[in-house]
Amino acid sequence: MRRTVLAFALILAIHPLAAAAQDDIDKVNGSVHVEAGQQVGDASTVNGAVHVEDGASVRKASTVNGAVELGDKAQAREIGTVNGAVLLGEGARVSGKVEAVNGSIRLDRGAEIGGRASNVNGAITLDAAHVAGGLGTVGGDITVGANSRVEGGILVDKPGGWFHWGQQRPPHVVIGPHAVVQGTLEFRREVVLEVSDSAQIGPVKGATPVTFHGDTP
């Protein structure tokens, strides 16, 4: 009986925290801020940015018109935006995918994405960061910076439908010093591919790598 009472008391003590951890923040107009160290469910808006401060945790961070930013050591399961950039601070982690349509994706030092990182337009930049599910774009530049690691390869797809307009310059893909890209680097359109002489990459389809020495091409 005493054990039952203690167990029930423990559930009552934990339950408010568990419920708080699952609270969603949902807006139509205006930015969403998840305070440092806070744990919430989905953090979403339509017109506005989503800011997840240092050390905070969310299930999904998403918007239509606006940026999504994870602070240092912040965490999310998934990130999505249509018109806006995605920024992961130092040591931030997304366990699933990161998707943008018109917007850049940047990972600062030590940041990690467990799934795929992809967009249509906008640069994808890794600074000593890790992406486990591959990189994909149509019209954006890709920089796998020094000491970064990508599993799942790289895909630069060909433009289709409405995207044909305004696309003239071929994407620029750089694999930096001591970076590692495992899997196939596939290019279905013209690109400029430059690879450091100290980098390690998988098979290349659709482009001819140009080797460079030093920190940058």
Side-chain angles (χ1 to χ4, degrees), residues 119-134:
N119 66 6
V120 177
N121 287 311
I124 298 177
T125 306
L126 279 63
D127 179 9
H130 175 218
V131 176

Side-chain angles (χ1 to χ4, degrees), residues 41-121:
D42 293 344
S44 63
T45 185
V46 176
N47 296 303
V50 177
H51 302 278
V52 182
E53 304 295 343
D54 295 354
S57 176
V58 301
R59 185 168 53 233
K60 181 177 180 179
S62 62
T63 183
V64 176
N65 297 306
V68 178
E69 299 182 3
L70 262 61
D72 295 349
K73 297 183 179 179
Q75 297 186 44
R77 293 184 189 176
E78 187 176 322
I79 289 178
T81 181
V82 177
N83 297 304
V86 175
L87 173 62
L88 273 61
E90 291 190 7
R93 187 174 192 277
V94 179
S95 58
K97 63 184 178 180
V98 171
E99 292 182 332
V101 178
N102 297 305
S104 61
I105 299 173
R106 178 177 176 83
L107 282 70
D108 284 347
R109 186 172 298 273
E112 182 176 7
I113 297 174
R116 180 175 176 80
S118 62
N119 66 6
V120 177
N121 287 311

Side-chain angles (χ1 to χ4, degrees), residues 16 18-25 38-43 59:
Q22 296 303 315
D23 286 346
D24 294 340
I25 303 175
Q38 187 179 5
Q39 297 183 13
V40 303
D42 293 344
R59 185 168 53 233

Side-chain angles (χ1 to χ4, degrees), residues 138-139 157-161 163-165 167 188-189:
V138 175
D157 212 347
K158 60 183 177 182
F163 188 73
H164 282 293
W165 69 271
Q167 270 308 301
R188 298 176 181 174
R189 58 170 299 181

Side-chain angles (χ1 to χ4, degrees), residues 132-193:
L135 304 175
T137 190
V138 175
D141 294 339
I142 294 177
T143 301
V144 181
N147 301 304
S148 294
R149 186 178 186 90
V150 175
E151 289 102 27
I154 293 174
L155 173 63
V156 178
D157 212 347
K158 60 183 177 182
W162 58 270
F163 188 73
H164 282 293
W165 69 271
Q167 270 308 301
Q168 298 177 352
R169 184 183 70 84
H172 190 188
V173 179
V174 177
I175 313 299
H178 306 291
V180 176
V181 179
Q182 296 180 342
T184 301
L185 289 74
E186 182 177 356
F187 305 103
R188 298 176 181 174
R189 58 170 299 181
E190 180 186 0
V191 301
V192 176
L193 174 60

